[in-house]
Amino acid sequence: MPVQAQQGIASPRTSAGLGGLAPALILIGLFFVVPVLALLLRSVTDPVAGLQNYAALLGDGTYARVFFNTFLVAFVVTIVTVLVAFPVAWMLAIMPPALASLLFSIIILSMWTNLLTRTYAWMVLLQRTGVINRALMSVGIIDQPLPLINNLTGVTIGMVYIMLPFMILPLVGTLRAIDPMTLRAAALCGASPFAAFRRILLPLSLPGIAAGGLMVFVMSLGYFVTPALLGGTSNMMLAEMIAQMIQSLLNWGLGSAAAFILLVVTMALYALQLRLVGNSRATGAA
Amino acid sequence: MLLDYDRLGWLKVALLGFTTLVAAFLLLPMVFIVLLSFGSSRWLAFPPPGWTLKWYEDLFADPSWIEAALTSARIATMTAILAVAIGLLASFGLVRGDFRGREILRGLLLTPMVLPVVVFAIAVYAFFLRLGLGGTTAGFVLAHTVLALPFAIIPIATALEGFDKSIEDAAIVCGASPLQAKLRITLPSIRIGIFSAAIFSFLASWDEVVVAIFMASPTLQTLPVKIWGSLRSDLTPVIAAASSLLVALTLALMIVTALLRRKLQT
């Protein structure tokens, strides 16, 4: 009997936990899981039952181009973001606190400012008669304005701008977790700065780079706003194509099938990212 | 010596130079937009030929901008309240609960953050059309709460994990009811997490574009929908004026956050 009584005390806590989760589960179940599943169902039933929507998407050159563009942009954006973010995160990790908090404020300001505001700024900056083209022309680097907008160049610049904070901030954490003594030891043993970078700093920050890079890649794949505003009509990306299929063409079958492909790719990469983060945590703890 | 700021030598000069450039790159759009909003050129010439407040006057003279801003504020406030309330309850379950499948539930509740918004947007758009919630405030708030919930759960759950439960238990031993102990001991201790959750879920709704584009009706549009519509027709400097006010709002929010954090931590 005492054992049962103890269980009687322990079980309310457990069920209280579940009870607390109820509102969240109802919200997510009813307004997230059900709509997404209904969309999935629509992709194989609209206009008739079958896989014809997927066949159409995967068999057509126009759509193949959109998929290719999307992966290309996401890939280039990720590489550029990693290359730009690493030195900044490196400095942030070791800079004097006053300087670091100033830099953090700039990053947060950029991150928290309305997405459309930032994209609008780039639309004006990058246009044919924009500041950047004028500056380059007045310095004499170019004598014709460069086409910086309505193409993949514009999308890449705008996307790198948006993704930078998402790469810098987690990388600072990774770099701060590295023990400076390992690098001091390398220097004492005669390693050149370059060798110390290549053989110690870079390998130790690789889990952070991989996790952050994968996150940027996944976010870029499904991004809608910036590609729609800075990109051109001839090189559309996947999210924009999905929106257009639904909003302008009212082709629900094709649109939901494309959305489902995006969902599967995203979730698979996200699962990979979770494993990477988990592994880096495990090695960090070891 | 690569992680020793004072002993980097020439590398420090190079890295600091690069970091300064990136900081300038990050600041550029905001500074540019604010300057542009005071420029007199209708065609956004820069540097502006003269300075004016005309675009702000135009902005405030147009009731549709004011109305869109108020709609956004209303929807974002309701979203933040709902997301924090639901997220708070859920965090207790996720952190304290002891049942099978807890990690799976956590993953499920955080999924709206990783799923591309456009997928959720068309799914919920179709669903709400059928329910008759399309173009309604309730539809907006529900859809935004789904998107905001992860941003509410993460800071609250993190704060709760860092809170020592034995203090709450001590209060119960001393005669407080479990609810009293939670309200008077636990909640004040995790207030920074709750506060961050409120800010983040407000911003998640206030800045949300994609769901809003699908959900909006001619009579109900949020500020991002209004900006989106203007951006697609032309790049009028009125958008620069509206954007500058949004930059000012972000700055104000950052300052309030920093001050409150300092106050709450002491």
Side-chain angles (χ1 to χ4, degrees):
Chain A
M1 283 315 266
V3 176
Q4 277 205 329
Q6 238 175 4
Q7 275 177 344
I9 291 173
S11 62
R13 189 193 293 162
T14 321
S15 57
L18 272 172
L21 279 165
L25 290 176
I26 292 169
L27 178 83
I28 296 294
L30 207 54
F31 298 113
F32 182 75
V33 178
V34 170
V36 170
L37 288 181
L39 192 73
L40 165 64
L41 194 67
R42 205 158 181 175
S43 75
V44 289
T45 55
D46 196 322
V48 289
L51 291 173
Q52 74 283 351
N53 289 321
Y54 292 92
L57 278 176
L58 299 174
D60 187 310
T62 325
Y63 301 133
R65 224 184 109 92
V66 172
F67 283 110
F68 175 76
N69 270 338
T70 308
F71 276 92
L72 178 73
V73 169
F75 183 73
V76 174
V77 166
T78 307
I79 299 291
V80 177
T81 306
V82 168
L83 289 178
V84 176
F86 188 83
V88 178
W90 183 359
M91 277 292 100
L92 260 174
I94 60 174
M95 201 176 237
L99 218 51
S101 63
L102 176 69
L103 191 47
F104 271 124
S105 309
I106 293 176
I107 294 172
I108 301 286
L109 176 67
S110 142
M111 211 173 153
W112 282 15
T113 296
N114 189 288
L115 175 64
L116 287 173
T117 295
R118 293 178 279 164
T119 310
Y120 169 69
W122 284 112
M123 286 169 83
V124 181
L125 281 165
L126 295 173
Q127 62 183 335
R128 254 185 90 81
T129 52
V131 179
I132 292 177
N133 265 321
R134 290 225 179 148
L136 289 176
M137 276 161 75
S138 68
V139 179
I141 299 174
I142 50 170
D143 40 48
Q144 286 289 316
L146 294 172
L148 294 172
I149 196 172
N150 297 329
N151 53 34
L152 293 183
T153 315
V155 177
T156 307
I157 296 174
M159 295 282 287
V160 167
Y161 180 83
I162 284 155
M163 294 300 162
L164 266 175
F166 294 101
M167 191 74 220
I168 295 175
L169 295 180
L171 255 186
V172 174
T174 308
L175 284 160
R176 277 192 178 156
I178 298 173
D179 186 354
M181 287 311 276
T182 51
L183 288 149
R184 208 165 292 168
L188 279 177
C189 296
S192 70
F194 179 69
F197 175 77
R198 197 173 60 88
R199 303 198 40 188
I200 298 176
L201 192 63
L202 196 58
L204 282 178
S205 31
L206 216 52
I209 294 177
L214 207 54
M215 191 172 87
V216 168
F217 186 77
V218 173
M219 283 170 72
S220 307
L221 274 185
Y223 226 72
F224 171 71
V225 172
T226 309
L229 290 175
L230 292 175
T233 39
S234 59
N235 37 44
M236 202 184 279
M237 281 175 68
L238 189 50
E240 195 188 353
M241 183 181 82
I242 295 170
Q244 217 176 63
M245 280 171 170
I246 303 288
Q247 220 171 14
S248 326
L249 310 174
L250 300 175
N251 192 337
W252 279 93
L254 215 50
S256 1
F260 188 64
I261 294 176
L262 179 59
L263 179 145
V264 170
V265 175
T266 308
M267 291 328 246
L269 289 171
Y270 179 59
L272 186 67
Q273 201 251 358
L274 278 186
R275 286 193 62 159
L276 274 178
V277 174
N279 284 347
S280 71
R281 261 192 207 151
T283 47
Chain B
M1 302 293 149
L2 293 179
L3 288 178
D4 197 335
Y5 185 73
D6 295 321
R7 296 200 208 165
L8 269 175
W10 63 270
L11 243 182
K12 182 163 121 181
V13 180
L15 285 171
L16 268 185
F18 184 77
T19 304
T20 312
L21 279 179
V22 175
F25 175 68
L26 286 173
L27 267 181
L28 175 69
M30 275 78 77
V31 174
F32 177 67
I33 280 302
V34 173
L35 289 176
L36 204 64
S37 72
F38 294 108
S40 59
S41 159
R42 169 73 185 80
W43 310 110
L44 305 161
F46 197 88
W51 304 98
T52 175
L53 287 173
K54 182 181 184 320
W55 314 119
Y56 289 90
E57 283 162 18
D58 286 3
L59 180 70
F60 287 109
D62 183 348
S64 69
W65 280 101
I66 314 278
E67 203 179 309
L70 290 176
T71 305
S72 271
R74 201 172 64 229
I75 290 173
T77 307
M78 287 193 274
T79 300
I81 293 171
L82 217 67
V84 169
I86 297 176
L88 186 65
L89 286 170
S91 301
F92 272 96
L94 288 175
V95 175
R96 301 259 180 95
D98 179 27
F99 49 86
R100 294 174 72 187
R102 197 177 59 156
E103 286 310 304
I104 295 173
L105 282 189
R106 182 194 289 261
L108 175 69
L109 294 184
L110 299 185
T111 310
M113 199 170 68
V114 275
L115 187 78
V117 194
V118 72
V119 176
F120 173 65
I122 60 170
V124 82
Y125 170 60
F127 189 65
F128 280 4
L129 275 185
R130 210 164 287 180
L131 292 183
L133 282 171
T136 64
T137 305
F140 258 109
V141 172
L142 282 171
H144 278 179
T145 307
V146 168
L147 290 177
L149 191 61
F151 295 97
I153 289 182
I154 291 173
I156 297 178
T158 310
L160 201 58
E161 269 158 13
F163 171 73
D164 184 358
K165 189 173 179 300
S166 56
I167 302 174
E168 188 182 307
D169 294 337
I172 296 174
V173 170
C174 293
S177 75
L179 185 66
Q180 267 180 332
K182 279 195 179 64
L183 288 180
R184 301 192 51 183
I185 305 291
T186 315
L187 288 192
S189 306
I190 58 167
R191 60 198 168 179
I192 294 186
I194 296 175
F195 175 71
S196 307
I199 296 260
F200 290 148
S201 30
F202 182 90
L203 279 178
S205 165
W206 174 261
D207 277 350
E208 205 287 321
V209 192
V210 189
V211 170
I213 293 171
F214 280 92
M215 201 73 83
S217 72
T219 51
L220 186 72
Q221 55 175 352
T222 58
L223 194 53
V225 176
K226 173 78 185 161
I227 300 180
W228 174 268
S230 314
L231 278 181
R232 292 235 127 172
S233 51
D234 72 326
L235 296 177
T236 159
V238 177
I239 306 176
S243 297
S244 302
L245 293 177
L246 288 174
V247 174
L249 186 79
T250 311
L251 269 174
L253 209 58
M254 282 174 67
I255 293 169
V256 170
T257 309
L259 289 179
L260 264 175
R261 270 175 184 256
R262 198 165 300 169
K263 206 177 154 204
L264 290 178
Q265 255 155 4
T266 49

